[in-house]
PDB file of all heavy atoms in Angstrom:
ATOM      1  N   THR V 509      -0.319   0.860   0.176  1.00  0.00           N
ATOM      2  CA  THR V 509       0.006  -0.182   1.053  1.00  0.00           C
ATOM      3  C   THR V 509       1.429   0.136   1.453  1.00  0.00           C
ATOM      4  O   THR V 509       2.386  -0.160   0.731  1.00  0.00           O
ATOM      5  CB  THR V 509      -0.150  -1.534   0.358  1.00  0.00           C
ATOM      6  OG1 THR V 509      -1.504  -1.636  -0.102  1.00  0.00           O
ATOM      7  CG2 THR V 509       0.185  -2.694   1.282  1.00  0.00           C
ATOM      8  N   ALA V 510       1.627   0.671   2.660  1.00  0.00           N
ATOM      9  CA  ALA V 510       2.906   1.161   3.070  1.00  0.00           C
ATOM     10  C   ALA V 510       2.857   1.444   4.541  1.00  0.00           C
ATOM     11  O   ALA V 510       1.831   1.204   5.204  1.00  0.00           O
ATOM     12  CB  ALA V 510       3.178   2.391   2.356  1.00  0.00           C
ATOM     13  N   ALA V 511       4.010   1.885   5.045  1.00  0.00           N
ATOM     14  CA  ALA V 511       4.049   2.232   6.520  1.00  0.00           C
ATOM     15  C   ALA V 511       3.749   1.044   7.422  1.00  0.00           C
ATOM     16  O   ALA V 511       3.298   1.109   8.522  1.00  0.00           O
ATOM     17  CB  ALA V 511       3.183   3.387   6.854  1.00  0.00           C
ATOM     18  N   SER V 512       3.937  -0.172   6.818  1.00  0.00           N
ATOM     19  CA  SER V 512       3.644  -1.487   7.395  1.00  0.00           C
ATOM     20  C   SER V 512       2.217  -1.587   7.874  1.00  0.00           C
ATOM     21  O   SER V 512       1.885  -2.522   8.671  1.00  0.00           O
ATOM     22  CB  SER V 512       4.551  -1.656   8.731  1.00  0.00           C
ATOM     23  OG  SER V 512       5.908  -1.449   8.323  1.00  0.00           O
ATOM     24  N   THR V 513       1.291  -0.776   7.390  1.00  0.00           N
ATOM     25  CA  THR V 513      -0.020  -0.724   7.944  1.00  0.00           C
ATOM     26  C   THR V 513      -0.999  -1.476   7.062  1.00  0.00           C
ATOM     27  O   THR V 513      -2.177  -1.393   7.289  1.00  0.00           O
ATOM     28  CB  THR V 513      -0.560   0.758   8.007  1.00  0.00           C
ATOM     29  OG1 THR V 513      -0.535   1.255   6.739  1.00  0.00           O
ATOM     30  CG2 THR V 513       0.301   1.548   8.963  1.00  0.00           C
ATOM     31  N   GLY V 514      -0.467  -2.197   6.018  1.00  0.00           N
ATOM     32  CA  GLY V 514      -1.441  -2.882   5.073  1.00  0.00           C
ATOM     33  C   GLY V 514      -2.428  -3.751   5.668  1.00  0.00           C
ATOM     34  O   GLY V 514      -3.694  -3.593   5.490  1.00  0.00           O
ATOM     35  N   SER V 515      -2.002  -4.642   6.675  1.00  0.00           N
ATOM     36  CA  SER V 515      -2.986  -5.514   7.236  1.00  0.00           C
ATOM     37  C   SER V 515      -3.709  -4.790   8.335  1.00  0.00           C
ATOM     38  O   SER V 515      -4.811  -5.130   8.684  1.00  0.00           O
ATOM     39  CB  SER V 515      -2.304  -6.832   7.646  1.00  0.00           C
ATOM     40  OG  SER V 515      -1.351  -6.642   8.529  1.00  0.00           O
ATOM     41  N   ASP V 516      -3.002  -3.909   9.073  1.00  0.00           N
ATOM     42  CA  ASP V 516      -3.624  -3.138  10.233  1.00  0.00           C
ATOM     43  C   ASP V 516      -4.941  -2.464   9.655  1.00  0.00           C
ATOM     44  O   ASP V 516      -6.015  -2.696  10.240  1.00  0.00           O
ATOM     45  CB  ASP V 516      -2.687  -2.090  10.777  1.00  0.00           C
ATOM     46  CG  ASP V 516      -1.678  -2.630  11.722  1.00  0.00           C
ATOM     47  OD1 ASP V 516      -1.328  -3.822  11.674  1.00  0.00           O
ATOM     48  OD2 ASP V 516      -1.200  -1.829  12.573  1.00  0.00           O
ATOM     49  N   ILE V 517      -4.737  -1.685   8.639  1.00  0.00           N
ATOM     50  CA  ILE V 517      -5.828  -0.836   8.213  1.00  0.00           C
ATOM     51  C   ILE V 517      -6.798  -1.591   7.268  1.00  0.00           C
ATOM     52  O   ILE V 517      -8.006  -1.614   7.536  1.00  0.00           O
ATOM     53  CB  ILE V 517      -5.271   0.407   7.438  1.00  0.00           C
ATOM     54  CG1 ILE V 517      -4.520   1.298   8.328  1.00  0.00           C
ATOM     55  CG2 ILE V 517      -6.409   1.163   6.698  1.00  0.00           C
ATOM     56  CD1 ILE V 517      -3.889   2.493   7.729  1.00  0.00           C
ATOM     57  N   ASN V 518      -6.256  -2.331   6.333  1.00  0.00           N
ATOM     58  CA  ASN V 518      -7.263  -3.065   5.455  1.00  0.00           C
ATOM     59  C   ASN V 518      -7.855  -4.249   6.172  1.00  0.00           C
ATOM     60  O   ASN V 518      -8.984  -4.618   5.839  1.00  0.00           O
ATOM     61  CB  ASN V 518      -6.521  -3.370   4.139  1.00  0.00           C
ATOM     62  CG  ASN V 518      -6.077  -2.157   3.382  1.00  0.00           C
ATOM     63  OD1 ASN V 518      -6.970  -1.555   2.841  1.00  0.00           O
ATOM     64  ND2 ASN V 518      -4.845  -1.808   3.482  1.00  0.00           N
ATOM     65  N   GLY V 519      -7.065  -4.860   7.033  1.00  0.00           N
ATOM     66  CA  GLY V 519      -7.631  -6.021   7.821  1.00  0.00           C
ATOM     67  C   GLY V 519      -8.751  -5.460   8.680  1.00  0.00           C
ATOM     68  O   GLY V 519      -9.841  -6.188   8.785  1.00  0.00           O
ATOM     69  N   MET V 520      -8.672  -4.358   9.277  1.00  0.00           N
ATOM     70  CA  MET V 520      -9.771  -3.756  10.073  1.00  0.00           C
ATOM     71  C   MET V 520     -10.970  -3.445   9.195  1.00  0.00           C
ATOM     72  O   MET V 520     -12.125  -3.724   9.585  1.00  0.00           O
ATOM     73  CB  MET V 520      -9.282  -2.524  10.766  1.00  0.00           C
ATOM     74  CG  MET V 520      -8.500  -2.745  12.014  1.00  0.00           C
ATOM     75  SD  MET V 520      -9.477  -3.460  13.384  1.00  0.00           S
ATOM     76  CE  MET V 520      -8.440  -2.924  14.780  1.00  0.00           C
ATOM     77  N   ALA V 521     -10.756  -2.917   8.025  1.00  0.00           N
ATOM     78  CA  ALA V 521     -11.828  -2.596   7.139  1.00  0.00           C
ATOM     79  C   ALA V 521     -12.594  -3.847   6.671  1.00  0.00           C
ATOM     80  O   ALA V 521     -13.796  -3.918   6.632  1.00  0.00           O
ATOM     81  CB  ALA V 521     -11.291  -1.784   5.926  1.00  0.00           C
ATOM     82  N   ALA V 522     -11.718  -4.901   6.274  1.00  0.00           N
ATOM     83  CA  ALA V 522     -12.368  -6.158   5.990  1.00  0.00           C
ATOM     84  C   ALA V 522     -13.230  -6.726   7.139  1.00  0.00           C
ATOM     85  O   ALA V 522     -14.266  -7.291   6.971  1.00  0.00           O
ATOM     86  CB  ALA V 522     -11.338  -7.105   5.521  1.00  0.00           C
ATOM     87  N   GLN V 523     -12.637  -6.615   8.278  1.00  0.00           N
ATOM     88  CA  GLN V 523     -13.328  -7.128   9.524  1.00  0.00           C
ATOM     89  C   GLN V 523     -14.647  -6.429   9.685  1.00  0.00           C
ATOM     90  O   GLN V 523     -15.624  -7.040   9.954  1.00  0.00           O
ATOM     91  CB  GLN V 523     -12.427  -6.973  10.787  1.00  0.00           C
ATOM     92  CG  GLN V 523     -12.982  -7.611  11.978  1.00  0.00           C
ATOM     93  CD  GLN V 523     -12.041  -7.408  13.229  1.00  0.00           C
ATOM     94  OE1 GLN V 523     -11.685  -6.366  13.547  1.00  0.00           O
ATOM     95  NE2 GLN V 523     -11.718  -8.546  13.751  1.00  0.00           N
ATOM     96  N   ALA V 524     -14.645  -5.057   9.513  1.00  0.00           N
ATOM     97  CA  ALA V 524     -15.914  -4.273   9.644  1.00  0.00           C
ATOM     98  C   ALA V 524     -16.933  -4.767   8.682  1.00  0.00           C
ATOM     99  O   ALA V 524     -18.065  -4.956   9.097  1.00  0.00           O
ATOM    100  CB  ALA V 524     -15.611  -2.831   9.498  1.00  0.00           C
ATOM    101  N   ALA V 525     -16.483  -4.956   7.425  1.00  0.00           N
ATOM    102  CA  ALA V 525     -17.517  -5.524   6.390  1.00  0.00           C
ATOM    103  C   ALA V 525     -18.056  -6.852   6.800  1.00  0.00           C
ATOM    104  O   ALA V 525     -19.239  -7.132   6.680  1.00  0.00           O
ATOM    105  CB  ALA V 525     -16.870  -5.495   5.045  1.00  0.00           C
ATOM    106  N   CYS V 526     -17.124  -7.769   7.215  1.00  0.00           N
ATOM    107  CA  CYS V 526     -17.537  -9.137   7.552  1.00  0.00           C
ATOM    108  C   CYS V 526     -18.474  -9.105   8.810  1.00  0.00           C
ATOM    109  O   CYS V 526     -19.429  -9.857   8.879  1.00  0.00           O
ATOM    110  CB  CYS V 526     -16.308  -9.920   7.908  1.00  0.00           C
ATOM    111  SG  CYS V 526     -15.309 -10.309   6.429  1.00  0.00           S
ATOM    112  N   GLN V 527     -18.263  -8.204   9.719  1.00  0.00           N
ATOM    113  CA  GLN V 527     -19.046  -8.097  10.947  1.00  0.00           C
ATOM    114  C   GLN V 527     -20.506  -7.726  10.499  1.00  0.00           C
ATOM    115  O   GLN V 527     -21.506  -8.262  11.018  1.00  0.00           O
ATOM    116  CB  GLN V 527     -18.522  -7.143  11.951  1.00  0.00           C
ATOM    117  CG  GLN V 527     -17.411  -7.785  12.796  1.00  0.00           C
ATOM    118  CD  GLN V 527     -16.562  -6.755  13.535  1.00  0.00           C
ATOM    119  OE1 GLN V 527     -16.621  -5.610  13.245  1.00  0.00           O
ATOM    120  NE2 GLN V 527     -15.846  -7.285  14.545  1.00  0.00           N
ATOM    121  N   GLU V 528     -20.543  -6.828   9.603  1.00  0.00           N
ATOM    122  CA  GLU V 528     -21.872  -6.335   9.134  1.00  0.00           C
ATOM    123  C   GLU V 528     -22.625  -7.492   8.468  1.00  0.00           C
ATOM    124  O   GLU V 528     -23.845  -7.744   8.841  1.00  0.00           O
ATOM    125  CB  GLU V 528     -21.707  -5.143   8.149  1.00  0.00           C
ATOM    126  CG  GLU V 528     -22.950  -4.508   7.933  1.00  0.00           C
ATOM    127  CD  GLU V 528     -22.736  -3.144   7.064  1.00  0.00           C
ATOM    128  OE1 GLU V 528     -21.707  -2.445   7.241  1.00  0.00           O
ATOM    129  OE2 GLU V 528     -23.593  -2.942   6.185  1.00  0.00           O
ATOM    130  N   ILE V 529     -21.978  -8.210   7.552  1.00  0.00           N
ATOM    131  CA  ILE V 529     -22.679  -9.327   6.926  1.00  0.00           C
ATOM    132  C   ILE V 529     -23.040 -10.413   7.950  1.00  0.00           C
ATOM    133  O   ILE V 529     -24.111 -10.989   7.931  1.00  0.00           O
ATOM    134  CB  ILE V 529     -21.758  -9.917   5.854  1.00  0.00           C
ATOM    135  CG1 ILE V 529     -21.562  -8.916   4.713  1.00  0.00           C
ATOM    136  CG2 ILE V 529     -22.388 -11.218   5.269  1.00  0.00           C
ATOM    137  CD1 ILE V 529     -20.427  -9.299   3.671  1.00  0.00           C
TER     138      ILE V 529
END
Side-chain angles (χ1 to χ4, degrees):
T509 302
S512 307
T513 61
S515 57
D516 278 24
I517 292 177
N518 296 284
M520 281 291 205
Q523 188 176 53
C526 290
Q527 276 165 346
E528 194 174 320
I529 296 172

